[in-house]
Amino acid sequence: MPVPCRAGCGKNAMLKRPKTGDALCKECFFWAFETEIHFTITKGKLFKKGDSVAVAASGGKDSTVLAHVLKTLNERYNYGLNLMLLSIDEGITGYRDDSLETVKQNRDDYEMSLKILSYKELYGWTMDEIVAQIGRKNNCTFCGVFRRQALDRGAAMLNVKCIATGHNADDIAETVLMNVLRGDIARLKRCTAISTGSEGTIPRVKPLKYTYEKEIVMYAHYKRLVYFSTECVFAPNAYRGHARALLKDMEKIRPTCIMDIIYSGETMEVKEAVSLPSQRVCIRCNFVSSQEVCKACVLLEGLNKGLPKLGIGKSSKAKRMLEEYNAKQNKSLEEAINNINEEYEKNNCISKGKVCRSSCKSKQTAQINKTHKTTSETCCNGQSDEKLNTDNDITNSKVKVLLKEYGLSEATQDDSSNLISEKIDHSNTEKVANATNDDDFEVDSHNTDEQIVDEDDTCGGACGKIDSLHISF
Amino acid sequence: TMEPLKVHIQFGGGAELLFDKIKRREVELPALKKYYPDCKHEKWLIKDLLVWIKDNLLKERPELFLQGDSVRPGILVLINDADWELYGELDYELQQNDTIMFISTLHGG
């Protein structure tokens, strides 16, 4: 009792499309699937001819299909895009190391260059090490926040015009639902945007925004695309898992609900009276943030200070914790600053703490870790470990040279922590420059990512896909 | 009919993780009446196969594969490489040498 293809091609249908209910054969499905993505791209004006585009690649189904389809459409419709793969290695043994092998397969299959950037080199911590510190409860927070920034850094290194991510229709509907369930109006407004990125940031685009997960999996299956589907070894986010399960249940009954939820999210209007957090710049790392200090810096500071819970939960809570911490530390601040110069004379390259221990042999890595440490230590105005202060000045002078070289002016701060803030900017700049050995990337240290603080409890890629969490088996 | 029914069962997209990471299996189903004496119908349907899988292949956490009398939403079922939604889903009658594939969409991508 085969069903004929709805397109009238004479072949037997192989699947029922959830979006339209049409029964199509493989070939007509491929055509419909790819053409819809092409329309999404052209209607949303996601790319310009000649653009370099980084495909955020996790090795999972969505990014694998995205890379494949973008390559196909680029050739078919002559987009003139220079496509490349960008992967983040969170440092999750038994998970990401395996999935990166899949990404390498994508690189070979699709003949695209591949850049892999690790948390270890950017932040001084692998996810394995972070989980060892904080346990498995909130690790997705760290992973998600760090990944967003890592992707931006990687994209800046690659000097691309935008980052294409594999978010599919189900993911976006799920995020709309989550934001409604949390009453998170600011994110609700943003989460359906097909292209995000405020001024100065590298835009993120979602070519699969209207593409159903079922179709992505069927496409990958029929095209025999190789993808990685092992679950992240760390615990997923239960709340999102419930939202996802609810959505899947509803989709079963009425598949168009996915498109309808996205439509609702897109057209919902926010009352003028609702106050939305204004975007500003993190005083530490200069990335866009809705808070004084961005989430990534707060989390990193927590890790480096042994207060790993610092960035977990509401930002107001983190602020309170920081204030308490600062209050304690302020007494010793002046003393600590005085020590900086003295200590600097004595210690030129001290590696210390967890992050530096293993990598000090490599000067480059050591510097990254060191400056990282510096960033977090100085930014809270607290000097828990005076030895650390010595790094500030090393960094500071080096960075001054760098800043001159790149023609960047020093950031000015008008608050009392002037000295500290300056150092922060510098150390961050140096960190970036060191991490990349790429002059162009310098720009990125003043770049921003509005999403850094956007999603504080969403697993980004550890659960398999960039920026979205999937319920696990 | 009392002769055993041979079917190929395949798991993909992460669903194999629930089945000892084995992606392909060949199974012989006994006569339905032998296996389920109280069964009202004569031939194996997919819904019977799901129960058989639960009893014979799925050792732990069946809720990650099954929900109610069907598969958990988000797990695709392919009958000889075609979407089961075109073939009556749970009420599809298994044929000799059919390939039934279960692909999870729930795993990370």
Side-chain angles (χ1 to χ4, degrees):
Chain A
M1 40 161 188
V3 180
C5 175
R6 174 75 160 45
C9 67
K11 297 196 192 89
N12 287 335
M14 290 297 275
L15 86 162
K16 188 174 174 186
R17 299 195 68 200
K19 200 195 297 195
T20 61
D22 290 337
L24 295 179
C25 71
K26 277 185 198 177
E27 285 70 24
C28 293
F29 164 62
F30 294 155
W31 184 85
F33 182 91
E34 291 158 0
T35 307
E36 280 183 8
I37 296 168
H38 170 62
F39 286 153
T40 303
I41 289 169
T42 50
K43 191 160 177 257
K45 298 190 175 71
L46 301 191
F47 310 120
K48 284 201 198 80
K49 198 158 191 163
D51 278 358
S52 287
V53 176
V55 179
S58 68
K61 60 182 175 356
D62 300 295
S63 58
T64 297
V65 167
L66 179 64
H68 180 273
V69 170
L70 284 181
K71 181 182 169 62
T72 303
L73 296 177
N74 194 31
E75 287 162 7
R76 182 181 302 165
Y77 296 103
N78 198 19
Y79 290 166
L81 300 179
N82 177 21
L83 297 167
M84 49 196 94
L85 300 168
L86 171 60
S87 290
I88 306 303
D89 180 1
E90 299 92 351
I92 304 173
T93 309
Y95 172 69
R96 187 55 82 205
D97 44 355
D98 291 345
S99 69
L100 285 174
E101 290 308 309
T102 312
V103 178
K104 288 172 190 166
Q105 186 69 44
N106 291 345
R107 172 196 62 196
D108 299 340
D109 291 347
Y110 307 144
E111 296 166 306
M112 293 179 192
S113 64
L114 166 64
K115 169 85 189 163
I116 300 175
L117 204 56
S118 73
Y119 281 8
K120 185 72 179 176
E121 71 183 280
L122 284 177
Y123 306 111
W125 294 76
T126 66
M127 274 309 291
D128 285 343
E129 289 168 342
I130 291 172
V131 170
Q133 285 290 311
I134 65 163
R136 295 192 168 207
K137 193 151 175 271
N138 292 302
N139 57 74
C140 288
T141 301
F142 285 85
C143 204
V145 169
F146 285 168
R147 179 175 310 92
R148 275 170 204 95
Q149 204 184 59
L151 272 179
D152 268 356
R153 295 198 186 287
M157 285 181 200
L158 295 170
N159 200 20
V160 295
K161 275 277 158 43
C162 70
I163 306 169
T165 63
H167 291 94
N168 60 45
D170 296 56
D171 294 333
I172 293 166
E174 180 184 306
T175 305
V176 171
L177 192 59
M178 284 282 288
N179 289 332
V180 169
L181 292 175
R182 291 192 293 210
D184 194 331
I185 303 305
R187 284 179 204 165
L188 183 59
K189 264 189 89 170
R190 278 194 294 259
C191 71
T192 55
I194 193 162
S195 176
T196 54
S198 48
E199 205 179 325
T201 66
I202 297 172
R204 308 263 179 115
V205 299
K206 303 174 187 133
L208 303 182
K209 181 188 172 187
Y210 298 113
T211 307
Y212 274 57
E213 194 153 57
K214 174 184 171 182
E215 296 196 7
I216 288 170
V217 171
M218 291 298 263
Y219 185 86
H221 173 68
Y222 287 145
K223 289 275 186 184
R224 300 182 190 287
L225 305 184
V226 177
Y227 66 91
F228 180 83
S229 53
T230 297
E231 199 59 33
C232 173
V233 294
F234 302 128
N237 168 326
Y239 198 57
R240 183 171 277 264
H242 286 303
R244 185 167 181 77
L246 171 64
L247 203 60
K248 284 289 170 198
D249 286 345
M250 296 196 304
E251 186 181 355
K252 182 75 193 159
I253 300 163
R254 188 167 161 277
T256 51
C257 77
I258 300 290
M259 293 300 280
D260 294 339
I261 291 173
I262 296 175
Y263 176 75
S264 299
E266 285 171 342
T267 50
M268 231 180 270
E269 277 197 37
V270 177
K271 270 196 295 187
E272 293 286 334
V274 176
S275 70
L276 299 170
S278 57
Q279 297 276 306
R280 48 175 298 168
V281 173
C282 170
I283 60 161
R284 269 196 204 178
C285 70
N286 265 347
F287 270 58
V288 158
S289 167
S290 60
Q291 308 292 330
E292 192 173 11
V293 178
C294 81
K295 195 84 176 175
C297 285
V298 172
L299 291 173
L300 198 57
E301 173 169 325
L303 281 174
N304 290 335
K305 277 196 183 321
L307 294 171
K309 295 280 154 62
L310 189 63
I312 306 298
K314 295 205 166 187
S315 54
S316 54
K317 186 179 141 205
K319 202 172 176 185
R320 202 169 58 241
M321 283 178 79
L322 266 177
E323 276 164 4
E324 284 167 15
Y325 190 93
N326 287 346
K328 275 191 218 159
Q329 299 296 324
N330 266 342
K331 283 184 217 158
S332 58
L333 176 62
E334 219 171 287
E335 202 183 318
I337 290 173
N338 287 335
N339 281 331
I340 292 175
N341 291 327
E342 293 170 29
E343 291 277 345
Y344 168 47
E345 304 291 325
K346 286 185 257 171
N347 306 294
N348 269 346
C349 180
I350 300 167
S351 69
K352 64 200 62 74
K354 183 174 189 311
V355 289
C356 228
R357 202 180 298 137
S358 59
S359 42
C360 241
K361 283 170 209 148
S362 145
K363 194 175 179 194
Q364 181 183 320
T365 322
Q367 189 65 43
I368 296 160
N369 291 334
K370 193 164 47 181
T371 51
H372 230 7
K373 196 85 171 170
T374 304
T375 304
S376 50
E377 290 297 338
T378 50
C379 280
C380 68
N381 298 350
Q383 312 295 340
S384 62
D385 179 348
E386 290 177 0
K387 273 190 281 184
L388 288 174
N389 298 333
T390 62
D391 294 331
N392 294 350
D393 273 11
I394 301 167
T395 304
N396 207 8
S397 55
K398 279 188 184 173
V399 166
K400 267 180 182 153
V401 174
L402 278 170
L403 286 172
K404 255 184 203 165
E405 260 177 47
Y406 299 125
L408 295 172
S409 60
E410 295 180 13
T412 50
Q413 300 284 335
D414 56 6
D415 59 53
S416 57
S417 62
N418 201 351
L419 170 70
I420 306 287
S421 301
E422 259 183 41
K423 281 179 193 161
I424 291 153
D425 289 341
H426 297 169
S427 54
N428 185 60
T429 306
E430 166 133 338
K431 172 185 70 188
V432 169
N434 268 305
T436 63
N437 286 328
D438 181 346
D439 296 359
D440 292 335
F441 190 48
E442 188 64 22
V443 178
D444 193 47
S445 65
H446 296 278
N447 235 333
T448 53
D449 186 344
E450 64 171 358
Q451 290 179 318
I452 288 173
V453 291
D454 268 7
E455 304 221 2
D456 53 349
D457 55 359
T458 313
C459 167
C463 295
K465 71 175 40 181
I466 307 281
D467 282 5
S468 141
L469 175 99
H470 283 231
I471 193 164
S472 72
F473 277 134
Chain B
T1 65
M2 296 305 274
E3 73 184 78
L5 182 66
K6 194 170 84 178
V7 292
H8 306 267
I9 299 178
Q10 299 181 358
F11 300 101
E16 71 277 9
L17 299 174
L18 293 170
F19 298 91
D20 301 320
K21 297 187 182 172
I22 298 170
K23 290 194 167 188
R24 291 156 182 270
R25 293 163 187 267
E26 203 171 283
V27 302
E28 286 202 347
L29 303 173
L32 188 62
K33 286 288 183 189
K34 258 191 197 168
Y35 197 74
Y36 302 121
D38 299 339
C39 193
K40 296 277 190 301
H41 48 272
E42 292 291 323
K43 297 198 169 170
W44 280 89
L45 307 180
I46 293 240
K47 65 176 144 203
D48 305 316
L49 178 69
L50 292 180
V51 180
W52 185 90
I53 287 174
K54 185 187 174 195
D55 292 345
N56 292 275
L57 303 179
L58 195 57
K59 302 296 181 212
E60 47 193 296
R61 301 213 286 165
E63 73 278 6
L64 298 180
F65 187 68
L66 300 169
Q67 183 173 313
D69 62 352
S70 190
V71 290
R72 181 175 164 207
I75 294 178
L76 307 179
V77 185
L78 277 65
I79 300 167
N80 299 321
D81 221 24
D83 190 351
W84 77 332
E85 291 184 41
L86 299 172
Y87 289 86
E89 304 192 16
L90 288 170
D91 293 323
Y92 172 78
E93 197 174 276
L94 292 177
Q95 308 294 313
Q96 199 64 245
N97 267 318
D98 268 353
T99 298
I100 310 297
M101 185 171 195
F102 300 92
I103 309 179
S104 173
T105 67
L106 302 170
H107 273 80

